[in-house]
Amino acid sequence: MELRRPRRQTLIATDLDRTMIYSRNAFSANSDVPTVCVEHLEGAPLSFMTTAAALRMQSLTEPAAVIPTTTRTIKQFARIQLPGAPWRYAITSNGGNILVDGVPDLRWRIDIDAKVRAGGATLSEVTAELRTRIDDSWVTKFREADDLFCYLVVRPKEVPDGFLAEWDAWCRVRGWSASQQGRKIYSMPDVVCKSHAVAEVRRRLLESGELDAEARTFAAGDGALDAEMLRAADYAIRPRHGELEHLNWTHPNLTITRATGILAGEEIINWFIKGSPQSAA
């Protein structure tokens, strides 16, 4: 007889890069803290958590339904060995893909593709226009992600003044938006949104009985692409760094960490474990 999964009282949707996991460059001033590598690229260590955060995250998956929620592509997400895996659900591609036991859900993706087509410009139209506005003097890479959106890798100090605002204005009247996170400038369809995917996973968990009907949703993220997910959660937290910090973004349900860099990731996990909306700000 198959054992029924325990009904969880909490759903946790968490961004990964610069929220849970950190490159060496994103450590901030905390270079001496003990860490564990959670991602390699071509054999080289790439992303890290503090050792304490990794241990605590593993324990978090028992009482809570933890949903990694990232703008990374499916392939990029697969590189991460996040404590607590394997995941029943994970959200990649900024909500464009939902993975169920590691496999992309085709019904969700077909629905997303249809909404993108109905919502405005196509990816090919956006990329064609974007290419007319950039050059190699400040753009190092141009990438399309899972046939859903595109992003630039740039030299931040060399991005022309006004570029992001002008490009975002062009996008917004066509059902897209633009935002910058560190060295990356994303162009994203409005319907490709983490909060929509989190709501769908919550619906499925409730339907299957894996999540209690009164369960609260907690969320964490550091970038503009996380803002709607944070706003939609019962309780949300962001680190004291990143795009949302730069924008001074806040909301009534929001906690802001005391720490910056990789120690903020550890603080976020401790906040999840505590399961309390008490502010760390």
Side-chain angles (χ1 to χ4, degrees):
M1 181 177 175
E2 184 179 354
L3 293 176
R4 187 181 182 89
R5 286 186 172 90
R7 184 172 293 181
R8 291 177 167 87
Q9 303 298 314
T10 305
L11 185 151
I12 294 172
T14 180
D15 176 51
L16 299 180
D17 293 278
R18 295 176 63 87
T19 298
M20 285 289 106
I21 67 175
Y22 292 79
S23 69
R24 288 287 187 193
N25 291 336
F27 270 33
S28 189
N30 308 304
S31 57
D32 295 332
V33 66
T35 62
V36 58
C37 181
V38 295
E39 180 187 15
H40 290 80
L41 179 61
E42 298 176 350
L46 185 61
S47 298
F48 302 82
M49 303 175 73
T50 70
T51 302
L55 290 171
R56 292 168 189 163
M57 186 165 189
Q58 194 153 5
S59 68
L60 184 63
T61 58
E62 182 62 30
V66 179
I67 316 298
T69 307
T70 179
T71 303
R72 286 181 176 231
T73 64
I74 295 171
K75 182 178 180 181
Q76 291 167 339
F77 173 69
R79 296 197 304 250
I80 304 173
Q81 302 298 313
L82 202 63
W87 307 103
R88 174 79 172 113
Y89 289 100
I91 294 167
T92 70
S93 321
N94 204 55
N97 285 300
I98 293 175
L99 308 186
V100 184
D101 296 324
V103 178
D105 186 299
L106 293 181
R107 290 181 303 167
W108 175 257
R109 179 54 190 271
I110 289 169
D111 185 51
I112 287 290
D113 287 342
K115 288 178 179 177
V116 171
R117 289 193 298 270
T122 65
L123 176 60
S124 61
E125 290 168 341
V126 170
T127 57
E129 175 65 23
L130 181 56
R131 288 185 187 279
T132 70
R133 295 170 177 252
I134 63 174
D135 62 62
D136 293 342
S137 68
W138 55 279
V139 175
T140 62
K141 295 178 184 178
F142 187 117
R143 294 285 186 266
E144 294 185 13
D146 286 343
D147 297 318
L148 281 165
F149 59 91
C150 59
Y151 63 91
L152 307 174
V153 181
V154 302
R155 300 181 184 92
K157 293 182 180 179
E158 298 176 27
V159 176
D161 291 342
F163 167 79
L164 184 60
E166 291 171 9
W167 176 236
D168 182 55
W170 186 94
C171 287
R172 285 191 179 273
V173 296
R174 293 166 176 84
W176 289 59
S177 65
S179 64
Q180 183 168 357
Q181 181 70 20
R183 296 186 303 118
K184 293 181 178 179
I185 295 177
Y186 291 95
S187 303
M188 188 74 61
D190 293 343
V191 299
V192 179
C193 179
K194 290 180 179 181
S195 66
H196 298 165
V198 171
E200 173 63 14
V201 170
R202 180 182 173 90
R203 184 192 67 77
R204 295 185 189 189
L205 289 170
L206 289 169
E207 189 176 73
S208 68
E210 297 172 58
L211 192 67
D212 187 83
E214 302 300 320
R216 299 172 297 173
T217 296
F218 290 71
D222 70 304
L225 293 173
D226 299 311
E228 183 57 35
M229 177 177 73
L230 300 182
R231 190 181 293 112
D234 295 303
Y235 306 112
I237 189 168
R238 68 166 175 86
R240 198 176 290 275
H241 62 244
E243 190 178 10
L244 293 180
E245 174 70 11
H246 178 72
L247 295 170
N248 198 29
W249 187 86
T250 189
H251 193 264
N253 70 346
L254 183 71
T255 292
I256 303 171
T257 65
R258 292 190 181 93
T260 62
I262 198 168
L263 286 180
E266 184 175 315
E267 186 177 334
I268 288 168
I269 291 175
N270 290 338
W271 184 85
F272 282 148
I273 290 172
K274 190 175 182 181
S276 167
Q278 292 180 6
S279 176

